[in-house]
């Protein structure tokens, strides 16, 4: 098994809106554990070109966000990785154009090139990027681990249902501490 840690949508504006210090700290601990074990750390963020040409008016979520003037431009400070988490120069930052980390990105080419067959997921939000990426990754035959305490959602009950009832059907769901201990 060759695993990689995906740190998804921990961008400044999303962390400010949906994250918590505990979730960001858990993600940081997961990053430290992956680096110590020699596992690839892949960062994922969602953003669009100036003017949002990738966003169809039929895409309810992103077209409403762009109409509200939410800062999803790829060069905007709010779409950059949150200051509490810092990618190293040798750690790829994947730019995606939809909810799933695979959609509109080169993530699959990157993971296949690295020989990765298992994805360890941390992300904001549980019902967004984590759910969409998990489903697509399962269909692509990746092994999956979800770090429940390194994920957050605007609705704690949705987070609970996903991590306790839905995700275990396709992934191992664990904590950062348990996962990090397993790497030693």
């Amino acid at each position: 098994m060759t695993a990689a840690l995906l740190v998804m949508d921990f961008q400044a504006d999303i962390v400010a809106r949906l994250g918590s210090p505990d979730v960001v700290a858990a993600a940081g601990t997961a990053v430290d554990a992956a680096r110590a074990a020699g596992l690839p750390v892949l960062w994922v963020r969602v953003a669009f070109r100036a003017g949002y040409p990738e966003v169809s008016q039929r895409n309810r979520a992103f077209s409403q966000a762009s109409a509200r003037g939410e800062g999803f431009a790829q060069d905007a400070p709010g779409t950059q990785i949150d200051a509490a988490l810092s990618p190293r120069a040798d750690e790829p930052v994947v730019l995606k154009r939809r909810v799933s980390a695979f959609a509109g990105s080169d993530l699959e080419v990157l993971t296949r090139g690295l020989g990765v067959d298992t994805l360890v997921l941390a992300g904001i939000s549980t019902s967004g990027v984590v759910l969409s990426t998990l489903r697509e990754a399962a269909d692509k035959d990746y092994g999956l681990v979800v770090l429940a305490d390194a994920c957050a959602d605007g609705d704690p009950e949705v987070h609970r249902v996903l991590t306790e009832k839905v995700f275990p059907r396709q992934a191992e769901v664990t904590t950062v501490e348990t996962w990090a201990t397993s790497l030693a």
Side-chain angles (χ1 to χ4, degrees):
M1 171 180 79
T2 302
L5 174 64
L6 296 187
V7 186
M8 304 179 293
D9 293 3
F10 278 89
Q11 13 195 120
D13 284 353
I14 295 173
V15 167
R17 201 170 56 249
L18 298 173
S20 72
D22 292 343
V23 171
V24 174
T29 300
V31 168
D32 292 343
R35 288 172 176 162
L39 298 180
V41 177
L42 309 177
W43 301 83
V44 178
R45 62 189 192 97
V46 60
F48 304 100
R49 292 175 182 89
Y52 300 85
E54 305 89 350
V55 178
S56 165
Q57 291 304 308
R58 293 181 306 278
N59 185 307
R60 188 173 184 171
F62 288 122
S63 66
Q64 289 176 359
S66 65
R68 287 190 303 265
E70 292 180 13
F72 280 103
Q74 64 190 24
D75 296 329
T79 65
Q80 306 309 307
I81 304 298
D82 190 72
L85 300 167
S86 297
R88 291 183 179 168
D90 64 339
E91 293 172 340
V93 178
V94 173
L95 186 61
K96 66 185 176 99
R97 307 297 185 175
R98 292 293 183 268
V99 178
S100 168
F102 290 99
S105 80
D106 61 351
L107 179 61
E108 186 170 13
V109 171
L110 183 60
T111 56
R112 298 298 184 198
L114 292 168
V116 170
D117 59 16
T118 301
L119 301 175
V120 181
L121 308 180
I124 303 175
S125 75
T126 313
S127 63
V129 68
V130 180
L131 173 62
S132 293
T133 302
L134 181 141
R135 292 293 199 194
E136 190 164 349
D139 283 344
K140 294 177 182 298
D141 297 324
Y142 286 93
L144 292 160
V145 177
V146 175
L147 303 176
D149 55 337
C151 297
D153 198 88
D155 184 333
E157 179 62 8
V158 169
H159 173 82
R160 184 193 70 75
V161 168
L162 288 170
T163 57
E164 293 178 12
K165 296 181 179 283
V166 177
F167 292 170
R169 296 177 189 157
Q170 293 179 295
E172 174 189 348
V173 179
T174 189
T175 64
V176 171
E177 181 180 355
T178 300
W179 177 71
T181 300
S182 76
L183 298 176

